[in-house]
Amino acid sequence: MNPLTRHIVDFAYFLKTSAGYQKKRRFFYNVLENDEYQYKKYFDIFMMLLIFSSVSILIYGVKRDVPEALGTFNSYIISFIFFIEYMLRLWISSSVSKVIIHQDEYSDLLGRDFDILFVSKRVFHDKLQYILSVKAIIDFLAIVPFFHELRLLRVFVLFRVFKLFRYTRSFQTFSSVLVSKRFEFFTLGMFASIVVFVSSVLIYVMEATNPSSPIDTLYEAFYWSIVTISTVGYGDVVAVSPEGQFVAILVIFAGIAVLAFTTSLFVSAFTEKIEDIKESKTIQDIMKLNQIYLICGYENIAREVAKKLLKDNLNVLVIDSSPKRIEDAKKDSLHALNYNPGNMESYKKLNINLSTQVKAILCLQEDDVANVYTALTVRSIDKDVKIMSLLMNKVHRNKLTNSGVNEILYDKEFVGLIAREYVGQPVAFEAIYTIRSEYTNIVMHEIVVTERISQTISTLKDLQNIKYRVVLLGVYKKKNKRFFFNPIESTLLEAGDYLLVIGNYMFIKEFTKFLSTK
Amino acid sequence: MNISSALVFGNNEYGHEIAKNVTHKYNSITLFSLEEIEKDHNSPFNLEEFDLSEDWDELSEKYDMDSSIIFCAINDEAKNIFLTISLRSSFKDVTIIALAKNNEDANKLKMAGASKVIPIVETTANIITDMLKKPIITEVLHNILYEESNLKIVQVTLKSVDAFTGLYPAEIDWSRKYGVLVLTIVHEDDSHEFIYTSKTKHNYLKSGDVLIVAGYELDLQNFKRSIGGE
């Protein structure tokens, strides 16, 4: 390896291991390309403002003189910013150091000499591929700085508008929908081109020799053909001979066919893609959420649970393999995706962090096999996320426990316990049921003792709950995980403890406010 | 005779759980099955077959219906409603607790004469959401209501109100004086009033009122003794 090549390879390894370089590269990648990066939207908005100001200046300058400062801003400053952006995109489009290192390792493995020429070709090919992409071409045309000097080239400013595609996701969605039908659009384009070509030639042959016909040149014939096939029909250029008019009739029929075909293509493309668009929109919405309750399965109990959680403005996401149940969930105003809860792929597609974004996963499918499978899938992805699961048949309790479920919900057991309490203390049961019922104003509530509360209210003596007409049922001490019923006034309050209170929800709200602001 | 019995209709998991949880309260537990069953001599419960066309008046020959309770827990909703209405027409005063799949069926069961209906879906969903939203309260209440704990919630019927003459319920320091917390007052017309509502702040206690009180077993006994309640 010659010294120059040695230096190039060493430099490539240096860049790969340089934390500063990689950090900068990652930062620019996030700002320019990563839709999930929280600051990307500010960059996009800034670039859109530049585009709109540039177009505004162009419109202003059509009939007026643009002030010199504005002209300089438009021609040079905006162009310079776009140029910087273009270069940064070119930089992050492919990694030169990666190609060099890969080739070095490959050569080393096979005992060959490092081929700098091959690497250069590879790098050039990668960069050229980016340069020739549609987006890069639009970017390039938008930075051409001299167009202001030539009047015709002013319209190149409009290429800046095309740059909006980069910054607005709905444009990208629109283009991806059209791309999905490219074969059909190509066929339509071919058909229309042939009709235009044939009709242009025909009308030229029929009309060009006729002195009363406005069609004298092939260009005028082409113009007539386009106007007619598009069903616009300005009427400024018309066929006058009977032969020409016959051609016009044929072109009009072809035009109707082209128009109908185009419309149906657009409609079918969007109809086919609408579910995907909705799904990606739901995923984008979900990715922004925290403290999500992920409900797997949307049957009877799940539906009720989701309804109650939603009522308290909590974040709920439903996944179910049944399209009908997902439709039901959507009708109930829930975020819902037609994913199989037992499939690992479903959680990858969701693109959320189960540990940090999900409060609990509720396996509420009314089928023990499905719940065990779902719990195992979730547990294999995340060891810590809280999983609660319905149990339909008690013989499967152990299987749910072994699959990593934290809380098992056995409805038959609940019914048994309720029956037990009812036969023991029917009036007390009704009273507690009434207190817990969401249809009364009386609620049981737990108030977490924050650092601030514990600093201002050190003991229960200062609590003033009676003043706020709130019953203090007791204190749950976080330290030893013990509940102290009706504690004495000298009980110390520590951060993390919970006050369990009963009262009118308005009074509890006032009481909580008092505690937090005292 | 006066032997208290729990008659559980529905030889299914719901029926078994109910039977298991009420054994401490009744002298005999009988599970009634719509399907044919083989007698299991190891079963702690009596097992009997029945069909919906039976003459239920015969039950009173075998059981003391005045001290019995009936649970209707058949899986088939329509049959459960039919059973409830049949039993109510035969026994006007017996307590019938029926299971419903949802609130819609719960209304029908109430119309059929059930004293208390447990809607399974709503009840389970309530418990799940309580566990999610208020885990500590749920745990504490579960321990108080369902587990073996010294802490209880009980109902105390006031025999006399001499101890509270001239005092409104909200003014009494129940906690310091008796070591208990009075949560609600149930009046003779079965209406519930939370201890700190405006109504209880301006109404004296009357004999016959029922206090729903939370406290430790010993404190509750002392409280009952000192106010002459039962």
Side-chain angles (χ1 to χ4, degrees):
Chain A
M1 196 182 287
N2 67 49
L4 178 67
T5 311
R6 181 77 269 161
H7 283 305
I8 290 170
V9 173
D10 286 350
F11 189 63
Y13 277 104
F14 166 74
L15 289 179
K16 194 193 175 191
T17 52
S18 164
Y21 173 80
Q22 292 300 339
K23 197 177 160 190
K24 282 186 190 74
R25 189 181 159 85
R26 205 164 40 246
F27 169 75
F28 285 117
Y29 172 79
N30 285 334
V31 168
L32 295 167
E33 297 289 351
N34 186 1
D35 286 334
E36 273 105 61
Y37 187 58
Q38 56 179 326
Y39 299 116
K40 183 179 183 290
K41 63 181 174 201
Y42 299 114
F43 172 76
D44 290 351
I45 291 167
F46 171 69
M47 296 304 280
M48 282 193 276
L49 284 175
L50 286 185
I51 291 165
F52 284 123
S53 58
S54 188
V55 174
S56 304
I57 294 167
L58 173 78
I59 294 165
Y60 182 83
V62 172
K63 291 197 171 178
R64 301 175 195 86
D65 287 333
V66 178
E68 200 182 327
L70 265 185
T72 309
F73 173 71
N74 193 20
S75 300
Y76 300 107
I77 296 179
I78 294 180
S79 299
F80 182 69
I81 294 169
F82 287 172
F83 172 72
I84 298 287
E85 186 210 4
Y86 181 83
M87 294 311 286
L88 288 172
R89 285 189 191 278
L90 183 65
W91 173 38
I92 60 160
S93 66
S94 61
S95 170
V96 177
S97 59
K98 203 173 160 184
V99 175
I100 296 171
I101 290 167
H102 177 75
Q103 182 60 27
D104 183 53
E105 284 171 351
Y106 183 72
S107 309
D108 207 32
L109 192 71
L110 298 179
R112 291 182 187 161
D113 284 341
F114 183 83
D115 188 351
I116 189 73
L117 195 67
F118 176 80
V119 171
S120 307
K121 275 185 194 164
R122 180 73 199 274
V123 169
F124 181 72
H125 174 262
D126 289 350
K127 294 294 179 194
L128 191 68
Q129 204 172 24
Y130 172 74
I131 289 167
L132 295 178
S133 67
V134 178
K135 282 180 178 178
I137 290 171
I138 291 170
D139 284 348
F140 178 76
L141 291 172
I143 56 177
V144 175
F146 51 80
F147 52 73
H148 240 252
E149 313 308 322
L150 298 167
R151 192 167 178 82
L152 180 68
L153 290 178
R154 279 187 186 184
V155 292
F156 273 63
V157 172
L158 291 175
F159 278 100
R160 293 184 173 177
V161 178
F162 289 125
K163 270 171 78 66
L164 284 174
F165 280 92
R166 274 205 184 281
Y167 312 115
T168 317
R169 203 171 286 152
S170 50
F171 283 146
Q172 289 166 16
T173 310
F174 181 79
S175 52
S176 74
V177 168
L178 297 188
V179 164
S180 71
K181 288 277 173 186
R182 58 183 177 275
F183 173 73
E184 289 85 343
F185 279 113
F186 177 75
T187 312
L188 175 70
M190 288 302 290
F191 172 72
S193 304
I194 290 167
V195 172
V196 167
F197 176 73
V198 172
S199 60
S200 301
V201 173
L202 274 177
I203 205 78
Y204 178 70
V205 171
M206 309 284 181
E207 298 277 320
T209 51
N210 189 335
S212 60
S213 172
I215 300 168
D216 279 334
T217 63
L218 193 59
Y219 176 75
E220 282 167 347
F222 177 72
Y223 170 74
W224 170 86
S225 191
I226 292 288
V227 169
T228 310
I229 199 170
S230 64
T231 71
V232 173
Y234 290 127
D236 53 343
V237 180
V238 289
V240 291
S241 68
E243 299 86 355
Q245 283 166 348
F246 181 71
V247 174
I249 290 168
L250 294 179
V251 177
I252 287 165
F253 278 120
I256 291 167
V258 168
L259 196 71
F261 192 25
T262 312
T263 312
S264 69
L265 264 186
F266 272 99
V267 172
S268 71
F270 277 95
T271 311
E272 283 167 22
K273 281 274 179 180
I274 198 78
E275 283 309 312
D276 290 348
I277 294 167
K278 281 185 187 169
E279 186 183 306
S280 62
K281 174 79 178 72
T282 308
I283 290 173
Q284 280 162 21
D285 291 344
I286 291 160
M287 277 161 60
K288 293 174 197 156
L289 301 177
N290 278 313
Q291 305 272 304
I292 302 166
Y293 291 97
L294 176 55
I295 297 180
C296 303
Y298 198 65
E299 288 161 80
N300 300 318
I301 293 172
R303 187 183 285 241
E304 278 300 311
V305 171
K307 202 164 78 183
K308 284 170 198 297
L309 293 175
L310 200 64
K311 202 173 166 191
D312 286 352
N313 292 323
L314 296 167
N315 298 323
V316 183
L317 167 64
V318 176
I319 56 171
D320 194 308
S321 48
S322 155
K324 192 191 168 296
R325 289 199 289 262
I326 286 299
E327 272 308 306
D328 292 343
K330 284 177 182 169
K331 277 182 201 157
D332 295 341
S333 312
L334 289 156
H335 290 301
L337 290 166
N338 186 201
Y339 289 172
N340 180 356
N343 193 339
M344 193 88 81
E345 195 61 31
S346 306
Y347 302 92
K348 279 184 193 159
K349 281 198 273 184
L350 275 178
N351 204 14
I352 54 172
N353 188 328
L354 294 182
S355 306
T356 55
Q357 283 178 273
V358 175
K359 180 103 173 161
I361 290 183
L362 311 174
C363 303
L364 300 183
Q365 298 158 104
E366 290 170 16
D367 173 8
D368 288 335
V369 177
N371 284 334
V372 166
Y373 193 60
T374 301
L376 276 171
T377 306
V378 172
R379 205 38 95 215
S380 66
I381 299 169
D382 193 289
K383 296 216 173 343
D384 303 318
V385 66
K386 184 176 181 177
I387 305 177
M388 296 168 87
S389 174
L390 268 189
L391 171 67
M392 301 310 291
N393 188 329
K394 65 181 173 188
V395 297
H396 298 137
R397 185 181 281 273
N398 281 347
K399 289 152 203 156
L400 277 173
T401 310
N402 292 340
S403 59
V405 172
N406 303 96
E407 300 243 23
I408 291 173
L409 314 159
Y410 184 42
D411 60 343
K412 283 94 186 172
E413 188 181 20
F414 295 155
V415 167
L417 289 172
I418 288 168
R420 177 196 179 98
E421 182 56 27
Y422 187 79
V423 298
Q425 308 261 10
V427 181
F429 175 83
E430 285 294 348
I432 294 297
Y433 180 78
T434 309
I435 287 175
R436 297 181 80 186
S437 160
E438 55 193 87
Y439 303 110
T440 65
N441 290 331
I442 307 300
V443 292
M444 293 178 122
H445 195 67
E446 47 192 56
I447 302 169
V448 63
V449 177
T450 59
E451 199 72 51
R452 185 194 164 102
I453 295 175
S454 67
Q455 278 167 6
T456 51
I457 301 168
S458 51
T459 63
L460 293 179
K461 197 181 170 190
D462 307 321
L463 208 56
Q464 298 190 38
N465 58 301
I466 302 291
K467 186 183 155 193
Y468 284 89
R469 301 197 208 173
V470 168
V471 173
L472 176 70
L473 195 62
V475 176
Y476 182 85
K477 301 296 277 181
K478 190 189 171 189
K479 211 182 269 177
N480 43 15
K481 291 188 175 171
R482 238 185 102 188
F483 175 66
F484 293 90
F485 169 76
N486 193 15
I488 54 171
E489 285 182 340
S490 57
T491 303
L492 284 174
L493 274 185
E494 293 163 284
D497 291 348
Y498 284 87
L499 302 171
L500 269 59
V501 294
I502 306 175
N504 184 298
Y505 79 96
M506 286 298 288
F507 293 148
I508 289 181
K509 209 171 155 187
E510 283 298 310
F511 179 55
T512 312
K513 202 170 148 191
F514 156 74
L515 292 177
S516 328
T517 54
K518 191 183 176 190
Chain B
M1 192 160 60
N2 202 17
I3 294 172
S4 63
S5 307
L7 313 178
V8 182
F9 291 86
N11 184 23
N12 51 37
E13 284 190 68
Y14 289 109
H16 292 171
E17 283 292 329
I18 291 168
K20 202 172 78 185
N21 277 285
V22 299
T23 42
H24 68 289
K25 186 78 183 171
Y26 295 94
N27 301 119
S28 85
I29 311 283
T30 307
L31 268 170
F32 290 85
S33 174
L34 261 179
E35 293 85 31
E36 279 189 27
I37 41 168
E38 281 181 28
K39 292 277 178 191
D40 179 2
H41 297 290
N42 295 325
S43 171
F45 317 118
N46 307 316
L47 285 170
E48 286 195 25
E49 289 172 21
F50 78 101
D51 67 66
L52 292 168
S53 59
E54 269 183 48
D55 178 8
W56 295 112
D57 292 338
E58 287 172 11
L59 272 183
S60 50
E61 292 165 16
K62 288 174 82 177
Y63 304 98
D64 173 13
M65 295 310 287
D66 292 335
S67 53
S68 295
I69 189 166
I70 293 173
F71 291 93
C72 296
I74 303 173
N75 283 331
D76 186 303
E77 279 303 306
K79 286 178 183 170
N80 209 30
I81 292 170
F82 187 79
L83 174 71
T84 306
I85 207 164
S86 308
L87 289 165
R88 178 55 76 214
S89 62
S90 298
F91 309 107
K92 299 279 178 232
D93 302 318
V94 74
T95 301
I96 300 175
I97 300 177
L99 300 192
K101 285 233 162 23
N102 48 43
N103 274 336
E104 193 187 315
D105 290 329
N107 289 336
K108 290 177 195 160
L109 280 161
K110 271 185 190 156
M111 287 162 69
S115 322
K116 165 88 190 157
V117 180
I118 304 172
I120 298 165
V121 169
E122 280 79 6
T123 305
T124 310
N126 279 341
I127 293 171
I128 294 170
T129 42
D130 281 346
M131 284 166 92
L132 291 168
K133 290 192 287 187
K134 300 169 183 174
I136 294 164
I137 283 185
T138 310
E139 189 190 326
V140 168
L141 276 181
H142 181 87
N143 289 337
I144 294 175
L145 292 172
Y146 308 126
E147 300 292 322
E148 293 303 322
S149 145
N150 284 332
L151 199 54
K152 303 272 179 210
I153 293 178
V154 297
Q155 56 202 55
V156 180
T157 310
L158 287 177
K159 282 273 183 191
S160 140
V161 289
D162 294 346
F164 313 113
T165 312
L167 289 170
Y168 293 117
E171 288 175 348
I172 304 163
D173 192 350
W174 307 94
S175 159
R176 303 294 154 240
K177 205 168 174 186
Y178 304 105
V180 297
L181 291 175
V182 175
L183 304 178
T184 58
I185 298 159
V186 184
H187 303 296
E188 274 181 303
D189 62 353
D190 273 355
S191 61
H192 299 255
E193 283 298 333
F194 181 60
I195 187 74
Y196 287 135
T197 55
S198 302
K199 195 173 170 185
T200 54
K201 276 177 88 79
H202 297 98
N203 280 287
Y204 295 116
L205 288 165
K206 294 194 289 288
S207 66
D209 282 348
V210 178
L211 303 180
I212 306 301
V213 188
Y216 287 105
E217 223 159 358
L218 198 63
D219 291 331
L220 289 169
Q221 280 169 13
N222 291 337
F223 174 65
K224 280 183 196 172
R225 255 200 307 275
S226 57
I227 65 159
E230 63 177 25

